[in-house]
Structures are given as C-alpha cells and as structure tokens.
Amino acid sequence: MKIKTKLLIAFSIATVLPVLVVSSITAFLASDQALKSFSKNSGQTLGAVEETFDQFMSDIKYVVGFISESESVTASDAKPLTTYHEKQGKAPSKIAEQNGGREASIFNMFEAIGNNNPNFVYVYMGDDSDGYLEWPGTYEYAEWNPKQRAWYTRAMENPGKIALRDAYYWEPDDAVYVSAVRTYKKGNDIGGVVAVDVSIKTLTEMANKTKLGETGQSNGNREDGDYFSRCASS
C-alpha cells in the first residue's frame, strides 16, 4: 500500500471518527432528554387528572354531607317516605308532588341541587321504613326496596361517613355510574341513606379535557366556584 493511501486512510479516520463519536453522544443525550421530558410531562398530566378527580369527588361528597344534615331530611318527627313495594310502578317525582309536605320539600331540594350541578345524574334517599325519594324521579319503580340496594348497604357499613360505591351498570340508562353515599340521623338513630350519582362518562370527559399550565398544574375546565355554592344559592 502506498504511503499516500495510508495517509489518506489515517486522515479520514482521524477526521470521521471524532464526528461519529460526537454525533453518537449528541444523539444519546437528545434521546435521554426526550425520555426525561416525556416522563415528566406524563407525570404532570396524571397528577393534573388526579387533582381534577379529587376536587370533583370532594364537591360531590360536600353535597352529600349537606343533604344528610339538612333539617327536612333529619327531622325526628318526620313521617316515613312513600314505599314502592307494589307491582304497579310509580314515579317518585309525581308521588312527591301529590303528597306535598316533607316529600315535596326534599324533592325540591334535590331538584335544585341536580339542576345546578349538570354532572349529577341522580340525587336520592331511602329511609329505614323502606321509603324512597329520587330526583329526577321519572322512572316508575315497582317491587323496590332501597334497603336491599348496594348503595344503601354500602353506607350502612360506615355509618356517618361519606363513602363511594363501586361503579355499577344501570340498565335503564345503559350507563355506568359512581355513587357517593352517607347515612343520616333521625334523632339518635340512623334514619336512612342519601346518595348522589355521577356518570363514568363524565369522569372520562374530564380527564380528556384536562389542560396543563406552564407549571404542570391543571388549568381545569370547571366554572368558577364550587358546585355546593351554586346549588345552595338556588
């Protein structure tokens, strides 16, 4: 091999090799930085979604707590709610309107809460005498005993505490809901259970709409002010 050829090869190696080394290091650092950036952004997104969910569920629990301590619900001398044991179905909204008095008062409260909280699907309660009341209350219930329902028994497992019921499928709506439940007092005894339902679809849409600010905090998509403030002002 000629000396010229050897020098050319040596020169090429001396020139190209550092470039390859530098390029490899640069590519590695860029890839590593991209991975770290992706990991950071993913963590911020998940954190923002969790924050949004926590705030949303806190609002629901706040409303359930308010209902369970309202005077119309806890009145010690209150008559039992209407029962739905018969085979012939009847709608709670119509029954409340017909009966008036306490049932109408509670239904009006449920209605105000529901109308001011678009993410609430059902607001309802059952008492220790198998009575039941619900907003919007348009379905006709027959052979219905609230004390045998999972939301009632879930609340009775932790009297006085707000609990979340596992997601359940409600066939009439072809939808999946999550419930926040709590027992209420009637005098010194447990008078029954109150509950609020929200849709899993709502929670999914909230996750999809969660936006991040420059600091990684959720900008949110909720209106100013919490749900309780809006329903309480109605």
Side-chain angles (χ1 to χ4, degrees):
M1 183 180 293
K2 296 180 179 181
I3 293 178
K4 182 180 179 180
T5 303
K6 291 181 179 179
L7 289 174
L8 183 59
I9 293 173
F11 179 76
S12 299
I13 293 174
T15 302
V16 175
L17 185 59
V19 173
L20 292 175
V21 172
V22 171
S23 298
S24 297
I25 293 175
T26 301
F28 172 78
L29 292 176
S31 177
D32 184 60
Q33 182 61 37
L35 182 60
K36 289 181 179 178
S37 178
F38 174 78
S39 178
K40 179 180 178 181
N41 291 336
S42 296
Q44 289 176 341
T45 301
L46 291 175
V49 171
E50 183 178 7
E51 178 186 347
T52 301
F53 279 6
D54 286 346
Q55 183 61 55
F56 181 67
M57 297 311 297
S58 293
D59 288 342
I60 297 173
K61 291 178 180 179
Y62 196 18
V63 171
V64 170
F66 164 74
I67 296 173
S68 67
E69 296 177 3
S70 62
E71 185 176 352
S72 56
V73 170
T74 61
S76 58
D77 59 345
K79 295 181 179 179
L81 299 172
T82 299
T83 60
Y84 293 78
H85 293 163
E86 300 84 359
K87 291 184 178 181
Q88 181 65 39
K90 48 190 177 183
S93 58
K94 294 182 179 179
I95 296 299
E97 182 180 1
Q98 292 172 6
N99 291 349
R102 177 175 179 249
E103 284 194 48
S105 176
I106 295 176
F107 180 83
N108 290 338
M109 176 177 64
F110 287 179
E111 185 175 43
I113 291 172
N115 287 341
N116 283 276
N117 295 273
N119 293 315
F120 290 3
V121 182
Y122 295 103
V123 183
Y124 52 102
M125 66 181 287
D127 64 23
D128 59 356
S129 298
D130 299 345
Y132 183 70
L133 182 58
E134 173 204 292
W135 172 89
T138 53
Y139 285 122
E140 294 189 346
Y141 290 87
E143 299 180 318
W144 177 268
N145 188 339
K147 292 166 68 176
Q148 296 176 357
R149 310 302 297 185
W151 56 270
Y152 196 102
T153 56
R154 178 73 178 91
M156 293 297 290
E157 292 172 358
N158 298 279
K161 297 181 180 180
I162 299 174
L164 295 179
R165 175 194 172 187
D166 292 339
Y168 73 97
Y169 175 71
W170 182 237
E171 186 176 359
D173 294 343
D174 189 24
V176 179
Y177 299 133
V178 173
S179 310
V181 300
R182 186 186 183 186
T183 59
Y184 67 86
K185 286 292 215 48
K186 184 178 180 181
N188 295 322
D189 301 319
I190 294 177
V193 173
V194 299
V196 170
D197 283 4
V198 294
S199 172
I200 287 292
K201 181 180 179 181
T202 296
L203 300 179
T204 302
E205 291 174 346
M206 289 175 59
N208 292 335
K209 292 179 181 178
T210 299
K211 298 179 180 179
L212 296 178
E214 294 180 358
T215 62
Q217 298 297 315
S218 171
N219 289 332
N221 288 276
R222 299 173 54 223
E223 298 176 5
D224 293 338
D226 59 48
Y227 294 118
F228 176 75
S229 297
R230 297 204 303 275
C231 73
S233 62
S234 299

